[in-house]
Amino acid sequence: MTKFIAYFRVSTERQGRSGLGLAAQHRKISDFVAGAGTLIAEFCDIQSGKDDSRVELQRAIQLAKRENAKIVIARLDRFSRRVSFIASILEQGIGLVCAEMPNATDFQLHIFAALAQEERRLISERTKAALAEAKRRGKVLGSNGRNLAAKNRRIADEFASQLRSKLDADLMRRSYSEIARHLNDAGIKTATGRKFFPQTVKNYITRLP
């Protein structure tokens, strides 16, 4: 049976916590994998699609190589909008499956990636034009985003703190896999209402000093 590694990406911590975008990605991938193989791991980055040096994405790629598994994504733009990056992945022999178009060939993925890259360029141009116009009118830019980011970090830290309170000293000495299994067996969910994986546990535990 084909092994799959799910990769998700949302652009902001708020989307990650609320499930905006993430829930739809989970649904698409779950529906696809249910009839195509087995899911062995999940990775999620909270990062802009402009940056391909994403930590969780790189871990998903390395695991796919070790396990001879395919990476499954909900939409191609959740993976990358750069043709060159997607081409480099396919050239390494890593299977890439897009849940919303599972029968797409490598050639078709290149075409769709090119369209996504052009879409990103157009979005960037429109954004720059809008910011320039706002600046011309004397509007102060950036303060709302900084305040929201600080608020999101506080919420994430609070969840991590609450999670730590559920783990006794003995459990904290165990592996991330064992802790994830314990939390799942206890019915405890992540901040986005999902099951725990070893990497999820590590992200939360190492978030606080």
Side-chain angles (χ1 to χ4, degrees):
M1 183 173 287
T2 304
K3 293 186 288 187
F4 291 100
I5 295 168
Y7 176 72
F8 310 95
R9 184 184 64 78
V10 288
S11 299
T12 66
E13 290 187 11
R14 181 180 181 184
Q15 288 180 336
R17 290 194 310 277
S18 68
L20 293 173
L22 192 57
Q25 292 179 59
H26 269 282
R27 185 165 56 252
K28 284 181 180 291
I29 289 178
S30 295
D31 290 345
F32 167 75
V33 173
T38 180
L39 189 65
I40 64 172
E42 294 182 2
F43 294 87
C44 179
D45 275 308
I46 302 176
Q47 197 165 344
S48 168
K50 295 180 181 179
D51 188 358
D52 287 324
S53 60
R54 289 168 250 150
V55 174
E56 296 304 299
L57 174 56
Q58 295 304 318
R59 289 173 176 166
I61 291 172
Q62 293 305 314
L63 182 60
K65 291 179 179 179
R66 291 197 303 270
E67 296 293 332
N68 192 28
K70 295 183 177 181
I71 294 178
V72 57
I73 52 179
R75 293 168 50 91
L76 193 60
D77 61 1
R78 295 297 87 191
F79 190 70
S80 178
R81 290 192 178 99
R82 289 179 58 229
V83 179
S84 59
F85 179 78
I86 291 175
S88 71
I89 298 301
L90 296 175
E91 287 170 0
Q92 294 179 53
I94 298 173
L96 180 63
V97 180
C98 184
E100 69 174 10
M101 46 181 184
N103 297 318
T105 64
D106 288 358
F107 174 73
Q108 289 171 321
L109 290 178
H110 277 85
I111 297 298
F112 289 126
L115 293 173
Q117 181 171 302
E118 177 63 9
E119 179 187 21
R120 187 186 74 177
R121 186 187 68 80
L122 293 174
I123 290 173
S124 177
E125 286 187 354
R126 290 195 294 268
T127 300
K128 288 178 180 178
L131 291 174
E133 178 62 19
K135 186 176 181 180
R136 186 185 68 80
R137 294 180 180 181
K139 183 176 181 180
V140 178
L141 304 176
S143 59
N144 289 338
R146 288 193 297 271
N147 292 337
L148 180 59
K151 179 181 177 181
N152 289 342
R153 285 193 295 271
R154 286 197 300 272
I155 293 174
D157 288 342
E158 288 173 3
F159 182 85
S161 180
Q162 292 172 6
L163 179 64
R164 278 194 175 184
S165 69
K166 302 177 188 298
L167 307 175
D168 58 33
D170 177 64
L171 193 58
M172 286 290 286
R173 287 193 291 268
R174 301 184 187 180
S175 68
Y176 294 131
S177 296
E178 291 178 297
I179 296 175
R181 187 162 51 250
H182 169 82
L183 293 171
N184 292 330
D185 290 344
I188 299 172
K189 302 295 184 182
T190 67
T192 57
R194 302 294 174 180
K195 66 183 292 187
F196 281 90
F197 286 89
Q199 186 60 45
T200 321
V201 173
K202 181 180 179 181
N203 290 344
Y204 283 128
I205 289 179
T206 58
R207 187 174 187 89
L208 297 175

